[in-house]
Amino acid sequence: MRISVIGCGYLGAVHAAGMAELGHDVIGVDVDPHRIASLAAGVAPFHEPGLSELLVRNRSRLRFSTKIGDASGCSVHFIAVGTPPGADGQSADVSFVEAAVSALLPVLTPGDLVVGKSTVPVGTADLLSSRLQPVGVELAWNPEFLREGHAISDTLRPDRLVYGVQPGGNAAAVLDAVYAPILKSGVPRLVLDRPTSELVKTAANAFLATKISFINAMADVADASGADVVALADALGLDARIGRRFLNAGLGFGGGCLPKDIRAFRARAEQLGVGDSLAFLDSVDRVNLSRRDRVVSLVQEVLGGDIRGRKVAVWGLAFKPDSDDVRDSPALEVAQRLHAAGAEVRGTDPAAIENARYKAPELTFDPNPVTAAHEADVIVVATEWAAYRALDPARLGMHTGRRIVIDSRNCLDRERWESAGWEYRGLGRGSSIARLALPTA
Ligand code: NAD
C-alpha cells in the first residue's frame, strides 16, 4: 500500500519506519527541514533505540519530504502531528491537526482514508470528519500507545490496535490491510466508534498517571511513618487485581504526553459538563509535581539547609531512560531548581544533554557520570538509566566530595551503596526523621 505519515516526531517517524517495515511504500512529511534531512539520511533525529537501523533497512520503501504534495498518490494518510497544551496551559491545542488536514485536502482523492494517530480531546475526530466527507474521504482514529525507548517494538508488536471508525464505512477493512502482518501475529484489534477510540487513549494515560501518583502518595506516608514503599509496592503488586507495573515510587512522570494529556482530559471534561468526575486528576497532577519539591528539599536537608556553592551531580536529564526527550522532564526541572537555589549543578545523561542544554543553557553538563560527580557533595539520581545502576559505588566514592546519594527513582541497589559507605536516601524509603521518631528495639 502507499501510505503517508504527516508529522515525523517521536510518534510519526517511528510509525513511518514501522509501516515500511511491514512492507508498505511510505512517505513521511514534516514541516521541520532538519528532522526531514536527518530521517532522509537514515539517521534518527532523536534518541530511539533501533530507529536508525530501521530507517536504513527500509530505505527502498521509505522517503521523507517537507512538501505535502509528495503525499499525493497515497491511499492512506496518517496524522501524527503534535497536540501541545493550548494558551490556557490546560486544554489541548489541536490546531496542528487541523492544519495537517487542511494541507492534505488538495492531495486527497475520493476513497482515500485519513487516520488520526495524535492524542486528541474526545469529539475532535467527528468535527474533522465533516471537512473530509465532502471530498469523499473517510476519517478514522487509531490512537497510538507507544512508549519512547520501546517505540519500535510497541509499533510492530502493540498490546492492541484500536480503530475508531464511522459506522458503515470501509476504514476497518483498510486498516486491517495496513496492519495485516501485526494482526496475523495475534495482536487483538478493537473496532470502536470514534469518540470511544479517542477516549481509550486519554483514559489509559489518566489511569497510568493515577497509578503512579497513588504510589507516590504512599511514598509520602511511608516517609512519615518509617515504612518502605518499595516493599509495599512489591506486596501490593502481587495482588492480581492491582499488578506491580507503574507502582514505582519516585520523581514522577513527565514527558510530552502524560502531564499534558491529563490536563487536557480534565479541561475537556469541564467543557462536557462532567468536570467534577475528573477532579481527582488535579490531585494526581499535584502529587506528581510535588515529587520535584520533595527532591529539592531532600538535597537541602542532606546538605544542612543552604545549598549555595555546594556541588550537586544530577544523573539523568531525560524524562525517562532510553529517551532524549526533556519535555516537562522532572529530572531537568530538579537540576534547574537546584541551580536557581545557588548550587553548582553538573548534569549528565547518556542521550539528553543536547536537548537539556538547549532548554537550560545555565547548567553545566558532563556526559560522564563519574566525572560529573567529581568532588560532588551529593549525587541525585533523577532518571533511572541502567548505566547508573551498573556503576560501582565503592570506586565512585573515591572521586566524590562526600558519599551521599539521593536515589529519586528508587532504582539503585541500596544495600550495595550503603555497604560502600554511602548515605542513601530514596523516596518513601523511610525518612531519617521518621526513623528516629520510631521506638528502637
Ligand atoms: P513531536 O513534537 O515530536 O512531533 C510532532 C511533529 O509534527 C513535529 O516534528 C512537527 O514539526 C510536525 N508538524 C507539526 N505540524 C505539522 C504539519 N502541519 N505538517 C507536517 N508536520 C507537522 O510530537 P510527538 O511526541 O511525536 O507526538 C505527536 C502526537 O502523538 C501527540 O498528539 C502526542 O500526544 C501523541 N503521542 C505521542 C507519544 C510519544 O511517546 N511521543 C505516544 C503516543 C501518542
Side-chain angles (χ1 to χ4, degrees), residues 351-389:
I353 287 183
E354 220 176 293
N355 286 342
R357 198 193 306 277
Y358 181 74
K359 272 208 166 168
E362 72 276 17
L363 298 181
T364 303
F365 299 100
D366 183 332
N368 183 330
V370 176
T371 49
H374 183 64
E375 291 182 352
D377 293 299
V378 58
I379 296 174
V380 179
V381 181
T383 313
E384 64 275 36
W385 285 92
Y388 301 153
R389 281 199 289 272

Side-chain angles (χ1 to χ4, degrees), residues 6-12 29-32 35 80-83 96 99-100 117-119 144-148 201 256-257 260-261 327:
I6 316 302
C8 292
Y10 286 89
L11 188 170
V29 178
D30 200 292
V31 291
D32 180 340
R35 269 195 171 165
V81 299
T83 46
F96 297 96
K117 290 204 75 66
S118 306
T119 303
E144 178 57 59
F145 303 95
L146 68 79
R147 299 160 299 164
E148 289 175 24
K201 175 63 187 175
C257 291
K260 78 161 172 70
D261 288 348
R327 290 179 287 182

Side-chain angles (χ1 to χ4, degrees), residues 275-287:
D276 279 356
S277 301
L278 293 197
F280 71 94
L281 288 178
D282 289 343
S283 304
V284 167
D285 202 5
R286 209 166 39 244
V287 167

Side-chain angles (χ1 to χ4, degrees), residues 75 77 101-114 128-139:
S75 57
H77 305 267
V101 169
S102 303
L104 263 177
L105 278 170
V107 303
L108 296 172
T109 50
D112 284 358
L113 178 67
V114 173
L128 290 172
S129 171
S130 60
R131 297 180 56 201
L132 293 167
Q133 257 164 356
V135 292
V137 169
E138 215 179 317
L139 175 73

Side-chain angles (χ1 to χ4, degrees), residues 32 67 69 71 74 85 99 135 144-145 198 213 238 265 269 290 321 325 329 335 361 376 384 401 411 413 437:
D32 180 340
K67 297 190 197 78
C74 294
V135 292
E144 178 57 59
F145 303 95
E198 293 164 320
S213 279
L238 287 170
F265 196 19
S290 71
D325 196 346
S329 168
E384 64 275 36
C411 64
D413 180 341

